[in-house]
Amino acid sequence: MTSSLTTGIYPDLYKFPPFFSRQPNESSWAAQCSVWHAFILEYSRAHKQWQLDVTDALETDLFWNKRLNRRLKLKDAVEVLDYMALEGSIEWVDSAKSSAIVYWRKPEDWANIIYNWIETTGQKNSVLTLYEISNGELTISQEFHGVHPIILRKTLAALVKRGAAQVFGSDDEMGVKFF
């Protein structure tokens, strides 16, 4: 196995060839989807993967165990992701279901993490651009560094709803003030 397979993010079933085939029994398939769900979230978190291109992902160890020479079929991967969409863990970017935003943390959880960072770094009552939050030098060591803009906007909406932030501007020139 490659060294990336030793990180502990791979479920035991990853070594089992039937894991990569849709099980015909619906209760078995539901259990299989649940394991895939947890694995995809953990894999995405470990790789800081915010968006998943389904076709590209089929070529990675997310859906392809090269040691077993087994991979999940495209239609089965989409069905697993549909399951995750129902659970609120992904959001399809397009109607073709070719790409999805992965919520390995919910926006409300990111809101807590970002707000804690704001308090810890003494930036209350400061104005920051979305770029500074997602890609700024001060956030390089933070788990949210590189966060996808869709996730960041939903995170900030949660903070606004709590009364902890105010967002202003539009599109590329958005800023946020934290209270």
Side-chain angles (χ1 to χ4, degrees):
M1 281 189 191
T2 64
S3 61
S4 66
L5 295 182
T6 61
T7 62
I9 64 171
Y10 295 82
D12 290 339
L13 287 175
Y14 190 83
K15 300 172 194 160
F16 190 53
F19 183 58
F20 295 89
S21 300
R22 188 192 192 289
Q23 298 305 300
N25 178 289
E26 285 306 313
S27 62
S28 295
W29 175 240
Q32 188 178 5
C33 281
S34 180
V35 175
W36 273 110
H37 180 186
F39 172 51
I40 292 167
L41 292 179
E42 184 61 23
Y43 182 95
S44 297
R45 185 197 61 76
H47 291 86
K48 287 192 89 168
Q49 184 172 328
W50 309 96
Q51 187 166 350
L52 180 74
D53 179 283
V54 181
T55 304
D56 290 346
L58 289 173
E59 301 299 319
T60 69
D61 58 341
L62 175 60
F63 290 124
W64 182 13
N65 184 328
K66 292 177 183 158
R67 187 170 202 172
L68 297 176
N69 195 27
R70 299 289 302 234
R71 81 172 79 199
L72 202 61
K73 292 179 182 173
L74 174 61
K75 67 181 179 73
D76 298 335
V78 169
E79 194 171 342
V80 167
L81 293 169
D82 277 338
Y83 170 86
M84 292 178 69
L86 289 173
E87 298 292 319
S89 297
I90 67 115
E91 178 181 341
W92 290 111
V93 173
D94 57 2
S95 61
K97 297 183 177 181
S98 64
S99 184
I101 302 298
V102 182
Y103 294 103
W104 37 278
R105 286 194 190 274
K106 303 286 185 214
E108 296 78 16
D109 297 330
W110 285 121
N112 292 335
I113 291 167
I114 289 174
Y115 195 76
N116 184 51
W117 174 76
I118 291 294
E119 287 184 315
T120 302
T121 57
Q123 296 189 76
K124 275 187 168 181
N125 296 314
S126 296
V127 176
L128 297 171
T129 65
L130 272 59
Y131 180 84
E132 288 174 308
I133 297 168
S134 63
N135 295 299
E137 287 184 30
L138 293 176
T139 66
I140 289 172
S141 65
Q142 301 301 311
E143 185 181 20
F144 58 85
H145 185 79
V147 65
H148 192 281
I150 291 174
I151 297 171
L152 182 55
R153 284 189 178 111
K154 289 185 177 200
T155 297
L156 295 175
L159 288 167
V160 168
K161 187 175 180 181
R162 291 183 200 168
Q166 178 184 3
V167 177
F168 51 90
S170 62
D171 298 326
D172 294 340
E173 296 182 17
M174 290 181 72
V176 60
K177 182 174 183 175
F178 295 93
F179 309 110

